[in-house]
Amino acid sequence: MAFRYRILLIVSFLVLVLDQASKIFIDRSMMLHSSIPVIPNFFSITYLRNRGAAFGILANSAYRLPFFLLVSAVAICVIVVVIKKLREDQKLAAASLSLIFSGALGNVIDRIRLGEVIDFLDAHWYNHHWPAFNIADSAICVGVFLLAIDMYLEEKRAKGKE
């Protein structure tokens, strides 16, 4: 099996297990909207549910669930196609896309199972809160960041060959 497929399977398995296990734990051990300070005035575990996308976008739309499922399905399919086209030496790109893939899949599982996404990581500065997020969201953000780095490095490699 090619490296890009092995990394997709390994990363996806790890992220999905961590994401779903943490969400199940939060759901079973905390009351909705309850919060546990971890670092006072900076970081808490706060149980929230998000019906929308990032920052609650489209939370009250009648078409939100079909829309999010369709967008996620398209993104997952595109990622699989792109991973198939990667060269064997594009390990960082494979890992990055695998993080994005597994993050999208983790949130799709929530949307199918619950109709919304469980968020619980609450970064804040006193009363100024960043929107709560979860492990799947974190995987997507880290994946996008690493993909941007890989694209930059790939561009430098291409210019160096000219």
Side-chain angles (χ1 to χ4, degrees), residues 28-97:
R28 291 185 178 166
S29 64
M30 294 180 71
M31 298 287 293
L32 189 60
H33 304 292
S34 64
S35 187
I36 301 167
V38 177
I39 301 171
N41 299 312
F42 185 70
F43 181 75
S44 301
I45 303 296
T46 303
Y47 180 17
L48 301 170
R49 291 199 174 202
N50 184 359
R51 294 171 48 94
F55 310 108
I57 296 170
L58 298 177
N60 296 318
S61 171
Y63 303 106
R64 72 177 167 74
L65 192 56
F67 173 75
F68 290 137
L69 293 175
L70 177 65
V71 168
S72 297
V74 169
I76 287 168
C77 291
V78 167
I79 289 168
V80 169
V81 168
V82 171
I83 285 177
K84 285 178 72 171
K85 294 182 179 200
L86 291 177
R87 301 184 314 267
E88 282 300 311
D89 66 326
Q90 292 181 290
K91 292 174 175 46
L92 182 57
S96 303
L97 290 167

Side-chain angles (χ1 to χ4, degrees), residues 39-44 122-130:
I39 301 171
N41 299 312
F42 185 70
F43 181 75
S44 301
D122 180 17
H124 55 93
W125 182 253
Y126 292 88
N127 290 327
H128 305 285
H129 291 257
W130 183 258

